[in-house]
Amino acid sequence: MGKRAQILTAVLVTFLLAGCGGHQSEQIDLRRINAETTVEESQSEGDHSGIVIELPENQDQSQTDEFNRGNDEISGGISSEEESGENQIESGGTDETEAEQEFHLLFSGDVLLSDHVLNAYQRAGGISGVLDQGYRDLITNADYFMVNEEFPFSNRGTKAQDKQYTFRLAPEKVSMFQELGIDAVTLANNHALDYGTDALLDSCEVLDQAEIAHTGAGKNLEEARKPVQIEVGGKRIAVIGATRVIPQADWSAGVSHPGMLATYDPTVLLEEIRKQKQENDYVFVMVHWGIERDERPQEYQRTLGKQYIDAGADLVIGSHPHVLQGVEYYKGKAIVYSLGNFIFGSSIPRTALLEVSLPGGKEDGNLGLRLISGTSKSGFTQMFTGETSIQEFVSYMQGISYGAVIGQDGRISQEE
């Protein structure tokens, strides 16, 4: 059942019957972090009334154009057919029994309300300028939608030193998340602390007030490791956010200081996975990792993903590279290494939402996975509809995956 129908059902039933202690901070090799920290996507000059994007001196449009050319090279030539063109949810009753239903959760990669996106929103006078009807309908009809929020909502804080790109959005822009239908976010990434702990904690408060759940960061490690709890179709799902990309060690949350759940040393995350597995039907991990613009996962990603599954994770969903990476199955469980950018900058040759289908009823069952492919230009993200573009996307994903089969309809299955 879709989110809109759930809300209407809840209102009808009511009528008839009358948020950001823990363990010691992880030890992180700063030389390794610095070696793996890479350049973020540049933003062209524009209206900065909504978002603050600090660029280094001498940064100009030519560097943005170079980044976009790099993306176009990665795309291998996408058809222009489309260019024209902690919350809980309980399912309501329908004519079908829960056992006969499927329930659908959606996940995206990086979301940044950049100048390109804000300008697209302003030109259209609403969210239709940011996301096409196909994606909007998909989100409306889904039971839950969760993304990686690649910035804090705040007007406070001091820009991080020695960091090339820093992002921050005014708190009132959270209304765009509500218009997008976002139910939850992970804050565990290399931008949540761009403006320090004040901005991070502001962001948690803004999200709480907007009734958008969050995981992966908080006022201390105990808060940062708390998962988003989803209840749908009689099933409980815990989604834990974590990062293996931070610019300095003190971005990791500790017993008494704000920060994120870091997974350079996965001990705390593995412990949380085991704990949540005892209390939930499914455990998902959303992890920020990898090297930017690299379509192949690093060996450490493949190692960590398998460790998460060994600890009890049923699905691993990655972000950070700004491009798609492939899918790998391990012990019958999927590791989706990167969903790339979904709503971000000026040019996203390929993107996708991951749809996770859950069986209804009390019986556990295999997760159904499907990639809904698309592209983005000038801040507007749209679904692929042309047969050529869809086939190119499927072929591309198949070529970078491990032991996974990507069907023409985007459905993912384990190679036999």
Side-chain angles (χ1 to χ4, degrees), residues 21-211:
H23 298 265
Q24 294 292 331
S25 177
E26 301 163 320
Q27 298 299 312
I28 301 174
D29 185 342
L30 286 175
R31 290 173 297 179
R32 180 173 58 184
I33 297 173
N34 292 332
E36 294 174 356
T37 300
T38 53
V39 176
E40 296 295 324
E41 178 176 356
S42 59
Q43 305 293 321
S44 63
E45 293 181 0
D47 178 11
H48 289 263
S49 60
I51 183 171
V52 178
I53 302 178
E54 300 289 349
L55 300 179
E57 293 183 5
N58 301 323
Q59 175 73 28
D60 57 25
Q61 184 64 41
S62 65
Q63 289 176 279
T64 299
D65 293 340
E66 181 180 355
F67 183 91
N68 290 334
R69 283 196 299 272
N71 269 342
D72 290 338
E73 290 171 3
I74 292 172
S75 74
I78 294 297
S79 168
S80 62
E81 293 171 74
E82 283 76 19
E83 288 189 2
S84 59
E86 185 157 64
N87 275 13
Q88 292 189 353
I89 290 184
E90 296 182 1
S91 60
T94 69
D95 293 336
E96 298 176 289
T97 65
E98 283 188 349
E100 296 172 329
Q101 294 183 66
E102 274 194 340
F103 299 88
H104 303 284
L105 315 180
L106 293 175
F107 296 88
S108 90
D110 296 348
V111 171
L112 169 67
L113 303 181
S114 67
D115 284 337
H116 297 289
V117 175
L118 296 177
N119 290 339
Y121 181 93
Q122 186 174 19
R123 286 193 301 270
I127 211 66
S128 63
V130 175
L131 208 57
D132 78 343
Q133 189 68 49
Y135 273 132
R136 297 201 313 274
D137 288 347
L138 186 71
I139 293 166
T140 298
N141 292 320
D143 296 285
Y144 212 81
F145 180 35
M146 186 166 179
V147 309
N148 172 60
E149 180 190 317
E150 192 87 334
F151 61 90
F153 284 111
S154 180
N155 290 320
R156 297 196 301 157
T158 302
K159 184 181 72 168
Q161 297 297 310
D162 302 320
K163 198 168 187 291
Q164 190 167 19
Y165 301 104
T166 52
F167 305 143
R168 181 176 60 175
L169 264 293
E172 58 267 24
K173 296 299 181 183
V174 75
S175 63
M176 291 179 65
F177 269 28
Q178 293 171 313
E179 287 185 68
L180 286 165
I182 295 172
D183 295 298
V185 303
T186 173
L187 296 171
N189 56 59
N190 57 315
H191 286 289
L193 275 163
D194 276 356
Y195 281 80
T197 57
D198 285 345
L200 172 64
L201 297 179
D202 284 350
S203 195
C204 293
E205 183 176 354
V206 168
L207 291 166
D208 287 340
Q209 291 175 352
E211 298 185 342

